[in-house]
Amino acid sequence: MTKKKSSPVKQSPNKVTPLPSADLSRLMQRRLFWMLSIAAFILFGSTIQYGFVLDDLAVIENNRFVQDGFGGIPDLLSTFYWKGFWNANAGLYRPLSMVMFAIEWAISPNNPAIHHFVNVLLYALTIGLLFKLLLKLLPGYSVWVSFSIALIFMVHPSHTEVVANIKSRDEILCFLFFLLTFLSLLNIRDGKRTDLIKPAVLFLACLLSKEAGIMYLPVLGLYFWMLRKESVGSTFKKLLPLLLISGAWLILHQLVIHSDPTPPIQYSYHDNSLVACENGSRVATGIGILGRYLLESIAPFKLSYDYSYNQLPCLSFTSLPVIGTLLAVIFCALVVIKTHRSRPEIAFGILFFFITIALVTNIFSLIGTTYANRLIYTPSLGIIISVVIGVFTLFKSQQTEKWQSTAFLISTLAAILFSIQTIQRNKAWESNSTLFTADLQNSPNSARVQFNYGVLKMNTEQSDSSAMRQQWQLAASSFKKAISLDSLDANSYTNLGVVCYRLNELDQSVRYTQKAITLNPDDPSLYGNLGDAYFALKEYEKAANTFKQVIGWKDATIGHYKRYGISLFSLKRYPESVAVFKKGIQKFPNDTEMASNLGSAYGAAANYNEAGRVFEGIYSRDSLNVNALRLLILSYEQAGNREKVAQYSGLLK
């Protein structure tokens, strides 16, 4: 009996052969990578249309090296951070972001959109790379653990300043190159010495972006020792190229900083409010600041572009924020001890936070700012890692692939809440105007925030006079608040004097301007403001004495000369008035009003021929000036010069 040949089984044309589970996992990871990157770009995409804000002025908009484009790159590579804008040698050398700004300026000059676009693009790339790194760091956990960590980090409201403020690209670049360095170290093949070059070069780029990148070295060492269980010797060998490149970078850094003759900047309490604290109080306040950073990592609220004097006042060791911080540190230490064997990733995350935040807390040394949202950018990752893994562990879902797990839903809810806050925070960074207005509520006790808001309202243009007056009143209120916070704020006294002058509160203008002069006696413009107020009050003796100091200033204005001369004229000190107007004409030879004042002063001094000649000169330049014609005829009549009177009388209709 012959066997029938079995016919091949026909497959339905719509049936897809399932991929192996490993391939499915890789496909999911790729999709999640792109999902996170695109979501990050969309989240901050609105900032691309924003303008230059805050320190963007110094690093881009008015930076002469950046504005030189490609030609400015050698200067940017060989000078300290602020050199292209002002001589403030703060010991910073961050050429990488500055070089990028110069290239972008060369491509599209004075266009903030290109700089914002690059910031958003780099941030989106950073989030994708962070997800890839987390997958390698957490191989025993579900992909959703890594996804949740990257997602929450991406939408963290404190990171808005890093993306929306172009200047903060140094933060993005430093962290980006740290991620690339970390990934390169994890991909090193045994026996391949050439593989050690790539992470060293990438780490150098990190250090050239921002000095704080040096703190990533102990983080890397901690990972290989704590999570990979490598020996100290093996860890040291792996990190040796990075240590060597760090040494070379440090030499370069010091050569650039110290080769410039500009002396190091001395920070004042305006830069860092801890300068105003006593020594013991400085440490206590620094501890309180550490606690605030820890809290902001978990619950970011009342975010602000500025926390300077006196938003965060000096603390003592008995202050509740200090006690609370110390208790939180003790709790974190206990968690590290408890989890460093069973869940070393949680311990690693906590230590990651404290290592990367250490340099900016002002506990060990004072930096150029009291507190800043941008400084929590990298450290917040450590807390997010610990909290997310802790939540997944609590719900025993750290190894399941089900995204529907309670832990993932909790992480998603947190991400949604953060996203809403981030979207709102993005709007504040559209311009200085929106930022200064929004943060008046978030940092009401910062003298600088009050001052900046006052300047904003002081310079607001309104077509309606009553609306303009209302803006000036808001400015005055903000300057007064700044002064109540900082009684030595000379700039607030100066501007308050100007605003009171505009509001016709002249006595107040005099009082505040005098205080500004007491605090800043070398500013000649203040004497001009004081003279203007005295002049408006018709206190001509005081006005004259004040303007006398002003006209010796090379930037004395035409108004200063006029009001000085008129003050002397009103005091009937006519010869002195003549002398002032003559000096004014020498400096401003084409001003008709100044010349007319000189003619009047000559006439008042009974020097009628000179008065006639002055008015004759005015009329010769402007034959339509009937008033000058009348005055020259009158002057020559007083001088008895009938010939001149006859010459010009016929012209007067």
Side-chain angles (χ1 to χ4, degrees):
M1 188 173 173
T2 60
K3 294 182 179 180
K4 292 183 178 179
K5 292 183 179 179
S6 59
S7 59
V9 178
K10 294 184 178 180
Q11 293 184 350
S12 171
N14 295 325
K15 189 173 182 180
V16 179
T17 304
L19 292 171
S21 59
D23 291 335
L24 278 173
S25 178
R26 283 194 292 270
L27 179 61
M28 178 187 292
Q29 290 174 13
R30 285 197 296 270
R31 288 176 176 175
L32 293 177
F33 170 90
W34 285 109
M35 183 187 300
L36 285 167
S37 299
I38 293 171
F41 193 92
I42 293 173
L43 181 64
F44 289 99
S46 61
T47 65
I48 295 174
Q49 62 183 326
Y50 292 174
F52 293 122
V53 178
L54 293 179
D55 286 340
D56 293 345
L57 174 80
V59 298
I60 303 174
E61 192 177 11
N62 286 347
N63 191 294
R64 63 182 185 275
F65 296 155
V66 169
Q67 292 179 1
D68 283 342
F70 292 103
I73 292 177
D75 291 312
L76 293 170
L77 292 173
S78 59
T79 57
F80 60 79
Y81 188 57
W82 301 107
K83 185 68 173 180
F85 178 70
W86 63 322
N87 283 330
N89 191 345
L92 304 178
Y93 178 60
R94 303 173 183 177
L96 193 54
S97 60
M98 300 298 290
V99 168
M100 291 183 70
F101 295 149
I103 294 172
E104 292 156 23
W105 186 281
I107 295 171
S108 183
N110 201 27
N111 178 15
I114 187 173
H115 306 293
H116 281 296
F117 174 80
V118 174
N119 263 28
V120 176
L121 187 64
L122 289 173
Y123 186 73
L125 175 61
T126 298
I127 299 303
L129 288 174
L130 173 61
F131 176 63
K132 289 187 65 174
L133 177 63
L134 289 168
L135 290 173
K136 290 182 175 292
L137 298 185
L138 307 172
Y141 289 84
S142 162
V143 65
W144 298 110
V145 175
S146 297
F147 179 83
S148 297
I149 294 171
L151 177 65
I152 294 175
F153 182 85
M154 175 188 77
V155 300
H156 199 287
S158 296
H159 300 169
T160 301
E161 179 177 348
V162 174
V163 185
N165 187 199
I166 303 169
K167 176 265 174 192
S168 292
R169 188 179 299 175
D170 51 3
E171 302 280 355
I172 299 176
L173 288 174
C174 189
F175 185 58
L176 173 63
F177 283 110
F178 162 66
L179 297 177
L180 291 170
T181 301
F182 212 152
L183 286 167
S184 295
L185 285 173
L186 295 176
N187 292 330
I188 290 177
R189 296 164 294 179
D190 292 336
K192 293 288 185 178
R193 293 186 178 181
T194 54
D195 286 355
L196 299 175
I197 298 176
K198 184 178 179 181
V201 173
L202 290 169
F203 193 62
L204 176 61
C206 171
L207 295 173
L208 292 174
S209 300
K210 190 176 182 184
E211 294 85 352
I214 197 70
M215 298 306 293
Y216 291 136
L217 279 175
V219 168
L220 293 169
L222 183 68
Y223 167 75
F224 288 109
W225 176 72
M226 177 178 283
L227 271 68
R228 294 279 287 264
K229 308 299 182 183
E230 297 188 15
S231 66
V232 174
S234 174
T235 300
F236 178 80
K237 183 178 179 181
K238 189 164 292 184
L239 298 182
L240 182 59
L242 273 63
L243 292 168
L244 293 175
I245 205 70
S246 297
W249 161 81
L250 184 60
I251 294 172
L252 172 64
H253 186 281
Q254 294 302 300
L255 283 174
V256 171
I257 297 301
H258 295 294
S259 63
D260 194 283
T262 307
I265 190 173
Q266 297 296 317
Y267 292 122
S268 70
Y269 71 92
H270 295 109
D271 305 304
N272 187 330
S273 60
L274 276 76
V275 173
C277 302
E278 299 296 331
N279 289 332
S281 180
R282 285 186 186 180
V283 176
T285 307
I287 293 173
I289 287 173
L290 171 62
R292 189 180 179 97
Y293 279 128
L294 184 58
L295 179 62
E296 186 179 325
S297 297
I298 303 169
F301 64 97
K302 283 189 174 294
L303 302 179
S304 175
Y305 72 92
D306 182 84
Y307 296 86
S308 58
Y309 191 86
N310 199 22
Q311 181 63 29
L312 302 179
C314 298
L315 302 173
S316 68
F317 283 99
T318 58
S319 301
L320 285 178
V322 177
I323 295 172
T325 300
L326 293 174
L327 291 175
V329 171
I330 292 171
F331 173 77
C332 290
L334 292 175
V335 172
V336 169
I337 293 171
K338 179 73 174 177
T339 61
H340 78 283
R341 293 185 184 276
S342 59
R343 287 279 178 257
E345 298 84 3
I346 294 178
F348 173 76
I350 292 173
L351 293 174
F352 180 100
F353 170 82
F354 284 103
I355 291 171
T356 54
I357 201 70
L359 291 180
V360 299
T361 60
N362 289 298
I363 295 175
F364 306 106
S365 62
L366 297 184
I367 61 174
T369 187
T370 308
Y371 184 97
N373 299 146
R374 66 183 180 276
L375 300 181
I376 200 67
Y377 176 55
T378 297
S380 64
L381 174 61
I383 297 299
I384 294 170
I385 289 173
S386 298
V387 172
V388 170
I389 292 179
V391 170
F392 272 81
T393 301
L394 181 65
F395 288 94
K396 303 185 184 335
S397 53
Q398 70 271 18
Q399 291 179 320
T400 178
E401 291 297 330
K402 294 182 179 179
W403 61 267
Q404 301 96 333
S405 69
T406 303
F408 180 75
L409 294 178
I410 291 173
S411 300
T412 303
L413 178 61
I416 292 172
L417 294 175
F418 276 6
S419 296
I420 294 171
Q421 189 176 354
T422 297
I423 292 170
Q424 291 301 314
R425 187 60 186 161
N426 280 351
K427 296 176 182 178
W429 281 89
E430 182 176 355
S431 64
N432 280 335
S433 176
T434 56
L435 189 62
F436 294 169
T437 302
D439 288 356
L440 190 69
Q441 304 301 320
N442 297 334
S443 289
N445 294 321
S446 165
R448 181 175 293 163
V449 168
Q450 294 290 345
F451 172 80
N452 286 343
Y453 182 74
V455 172
L456 175 68
K457 292 301 175 182
M458 177 182 175
N459 295 331
T460 299
E461 295 291 339
Q462 295 284 351
S463 57
D464 181 67
S465 60
S466 62
M468 191 71 260
R469 184 176 180 84
Q470 186 178 21
Q471 297 296 310
W472 291 338
Q473 289 172 338
L474 289 172
S477 177
S478 202
F479 289 135
K480 288 176 182 177
K481 176 66 173 177
I483 290 169
S484 71
L485 295 167
D486 181 6
S487 61
L488 301 180
D489 185 2
N491 290 329
S492 287
Y493 280 111
T494 299
N495 286 353
L496 186 54
V498 173
V499 171
C500 287
Y501 179 86
R502 294 178 182 178
L503 292 169
N504 204 35
E505 298 172 359
L506 301 176
D507 289 328
Q508 296 279 35
S509 178
V510 167
R511 183 163 68 89
Y512 289 123
T513 305
Q514 285 176 330
K515 180 63 176 179
I517 290 173
T518 301
L519 295 171
N520 191 11
D522 296 327
D523 184 354
S525 65
L526 293 176
Y527 296 93
N529 293 350
L530 181 61
D532 289 344
Y534 279 138
F535 184 83
L537 284 167
K538 298 183 179 180
E539 295 185 17
Y540 297 121
E541 188 70 44
K542 292 180 179 179
N545 291 336
T546 305
F547 283 127
K548 185 177 182 179
Q549 301 177 66
V550 176
I551 63 167
W553 175 39
K554 65 177 181 179
D555 293 326
T557 67
I558 191 170
H560 293 147
Y561 279 94
K562 288 178 183 178
R563 287 186 284 277
Y564 182 24
I566 293 171
S567 296
L568 293 169
F569 186 94
S570 301
L571 294 169
K572 299 182 180 180
R573 291 157 59 178
Y574 304 124
E576 294 175 69
S577 178
V578 166
V580 170
F581 288 132
K582 287 177 71 175
K583 286 183 179 179
I585 288 176
Q586 289 175 359
K587 191 170 183 179
F588 306 99
N590 298 319
D591 189 79
T592 301
E593 185 181 354
M594 183 85 75
S596 182
N597 289 343
L598 175 60
S600 298
Y602 273 128
N607 194 341
Y608 301 118
N609 277 317
E610 287 298 330
R613 278 192 282 271
V614 170
F615 289 121
E616 190 174 11
I618 296 173
Y619 183 71
S620 67
R621 293 193 299 271
D622 180 9
S623 60
L624 298 178
N625 193 328
V626 179
N627 188 55
L629 179 60
R630 287 196 183 99
L631 289 173
L632 80 85
I633 293 171
L634 179 61
S635 297
Y636 282 131
E637 281 180 348
Q638 294 289 330
N641 192 333
R642 298 177 182 177
E643 182 181 349
K644 289 289 186 180
V645 172
Q647 178 183 345
Y648 288 104
S649 293
L651 301 175
L652 187 62
K653 297 180 181 179

